Amino acid sequence: MDQLKLLNFHKMIANFANNLVGAFVPLIIYQATGKLSYAIIYLVCQNLLRLVFELLLKNLYGKYPQLFLLLRIIPIALYNVFIFVLDVNLILGVIGVCLFISLDYAFNNLPKEIIYNYSSLNPQKNDKSLGITRLFEQAGIIIALIVGGFLLDINKTLVLIISLTIYAISVIPLVIFYVKSKNQKTFNKDATSNAINTLSKNEELLKKSKKLTLKMLFSYGIVYFATAFFDMTQTAYSLLVFIERGEFALAGILNAVFNCMYAVGFYVAGIINSKKDMTRLVTIFCCLIGVLIIILPFVDLTKYFVIICLIYGTIGFCYPFVSLFILERVLIKSRIMGVSNKALFVRDTSCILAYTIGWACGFFGLIGIFVSIFVTMCSAGFIIPNCEEKTRQNLVDYLQNNEIIQN
């Protein structure tokens, strides 16, 4: 079995295990403290710590991504333990949860994306692989949100035991693959194009390559900063639902609806993206998502539950078109320049900065977060096509000039 299939298996099972509890942590902290401001402080601090951890581990991600996923079981266990400490010592519990869930994110997000980067280099498989891998990723989340929401209302200890056991099962095949393949020369190596091999022999072209790379990474950093605010939607709306109704299960059901449509959206987007240019569609969907998100908190959950599900589901279906469109193009262009792992690192750090600022908007109330998502998503509708055209044109001009010099 190839690494991409093992990664998809891991994503589905691990996301089920981790989201049994992990998806509800801000709600648990709100429940323990009774104050929204504490949940917001936790979210801001969590992302700042995550940024620190990722900067410290930057040079290790590309070499040992599979091992990071194995070691991830340690912070998962520890942040779950500190969730129970919340009932005994609130301050110590919040600090422990914040510290270890930040480390959990640092051990999880980038390693998974880097493994995908390594295992999807075959152009014949790559057209639909991103849509399919995201489909597997969401499948585990959907089940966990429903099951976890109900179990948390009944028994937190049982959820912890199930979570750790299932996660350990999910990561074993990837670690076995790592042990078998670690001595291969091309294993866990960033893609390098023929263009880069040529450039390394010409100092002038190499300088131009570095400038182009910096421009490209900066441009996509802005794109990801603008779109990353969207990722706060589920947590922000879950907090709103929990404040109004006080039920983990209801928040879990609504997020399951969201993630179900999110999974379908990724699969459909993968098919469409392999056949047509989605630039205009992405612009439309960005603006539509922004408008629907700002409407969401003003719709009465009790009276219009079905309408909420429709709005939430539409948002979930539309965003994968944006996410897939950007990531596929980032990987294509960064692989040409031999910097795909750097591009993934820029992507992640840009997102974390966006989360930090976005959650800080929560000090003005949850509506501040929804407004920030609305503004950035509508802006992204114009930023994405402009960035795409500029980076494409710069890359084409550079490669054409390279061909002229070589001829």
Side-chain angles (χ1 to χ4, degrees), residues 10-11 25 35 109 113 117 149 174 182 190 215 242 280-281 296 299 320 344 354 369:
H10 168 75
K11 283 184 172 184
V25 169
K35 292 186 178 181
N109 285 35
E113 295 302 330
N117 182 30
L174 274 174
K182 66 179 181 178
D190 207 347
K215 285 183 180 179
F242 193 79
R280 289 184 181 179
L281 188 62
L296 199 58
V299 181
L344 289 173
I369 297 170

Side-chain angles (χ1 to χ4, degrees), residues 317-334:
F317 178 81
C318 291
Y319 187 71
F321 289 81
V322 180
S323 179
L324 185 144
F325 177 86
I326 302 169
L327 181 57
E328 190 209 39
R329 281 152 182 77
V330 167
L331 288 177
I332 290 172
K333 293 173 185 176
S334 60

Side-chain angles (χ1 to χ4, degrees), residues 30-328:
Y30 171 78
Q31 183 190 46
T33 62
K35 292 186 178 181
L36 176 63
S37 58
Y38 288 164
I40 297 299
I41 291 170
Y42 156 78
L43 287 162
V44 171
C45 292
Q46 174 217 295
N47 282 288
L48 287 173
L49 280 171
R50 178 181 166 188
L51 181 60
V52 171
F53 285 134
E54 291 198 1
L55 289 171
L56 290 173
L57 298 169
K58 177 182 178 181
N59 295 327
L60 299 175
Y61 283 127
K63 295 178 181 178
Y64 312 109
Q66 298 86 357
L67 295 185
F68 273 110
L69 295 182
L70 175 64
L71 293 173
R72 185 186 171 208
I73 198 167
I74 298 171
I76 289 176
L78 289 172
Y79 85 66
N80 275 284
V81 167
F82 275 97
I83 286 175
F84 293 101
V85 176
L86 285 170
D87 295 329
V88 180
N89 188 315
L90 183 60
I91 295 175
L92 181 62
V94 171
I95 292 173
V97 170
C98 186
L99 178 66
F100 290 110
I101 206 168
S102 301
L103 190 61
D104 171 51
Y105 279 122
F107 277 26
N108 179 40
N109 285 35
L110 261 176
K112 284 198 303 190
E113 295 302 330
I114 287 171
I115 292 173
Y116 172 78
N117 182 30
Y118 291 151
S119 56
S120 62
L121 292 173
N122 187 337
Q124 293 180 341
K125 294 182 179 180
N126 196 41
D127 282 345
K128 297 179 183 178
S129 63
L130 184 54
I132 293 172
T133 196
R134 291 295 190 260
L135 182 65
F136 277 94
E137 192 171 322
Q138 295 307 119
I141 296 175
I142 294 164
I143 301 168
L145 288 169
I146 297 173
V147 176
F150 282 103
L151 288 180
L152 280 170
D153 285 327
I154 300 169
N155 190 320
K156 290 180 183 177
T157 305
L158 177 63
V159 180
L160 170 59
I161 295 170
I162 294 172
S163 175
L164 292 176
T165 303
I166 294 176
Y167 183 82
I169 293 170
S170 76
V171 78
I172 289 171
L174 274 174
V175 175
I176 293 172
F177 185 89
Y178 169 81
V179 172
K180 288 182 177 179
S181 308
K182 66 179 181 178
N183 293 324
Q184 296 177 12
K185 290 183 179 180
T186 58
F187 184 66
N188 282 357
K189 299 292 183 183
D190 207 347
T192 304
S193 67
N194 292 331
I196 292 300
N197 291 330
T198 301
L199 290 171
S200 62
K201 302 172 185 177
N202 187 306
E203 188 174 344
E204 182 182 348
L205 290 175
L206 190 58
K207 288 181 179 178
K208 290 182 179 179
S209 165
K210 289 180 178 178
K211 288 183 180 179
L212 175 62
T213 298
L214 286 174
K215 285 183 180 179
M216 180 175 66
L217 294 178
F218 180 74
S219 296
Y220 278 114
I222 293 174
V223 167
Y224 272 112
F225 179 83
T227 54
F229 280 74
F230 172 85
D231 294 336
M232 301 184 297
T233 303
Q234 286 188 82
T235 302
Y237 193 63
S238 293
L239 278 167
L240 184 67
V241 170
F242 193 79
I243 289 169
E244 289 183 2
R245 302 290 291 273
E247 297 175 10
F248 288 110
L250 183 59
I253 290 169
L254 285 169
N255 281 324
V257 170
F258 177 96
N259 281 281
C260 183
M261 295 308 297
Y262 192 88
V264 173
F266 251 116
Y267 184 73
V268 174
I271 295 172
I272 295 175
N273 188 56
S274 66
K275 297 178 181 179
K276 295 183 179 180
D277 179 13
M278 297 199 304
T279 306
R280 289 184 181 179
L281 188 62
V282 165
T283 298
I284 293 168
F285 279 0
C286 279
C287 295
L288 176 62
I289 289 167
V291 172
L292 291 177
I293 284 174
I294 199 63
I295 291 172
L296 199 58
F298 296 103
V299 181
D300 190 302
L301 181 60
T302 305
K303 292 182 180 179
Y304 306 108
F305 179 76
V306 175
I307 293 176
I308 287 288
C309 289
L310 288 172
I311 294 173
Y312 219 33
T314 301
I315 293 169
F317 178 81
C318 291
Y319 187 71
F321 289 81
V322 180
S323 179
L324 185 144
F325 177 86
I326 302 169
L327 181 57
E328 190 209 39

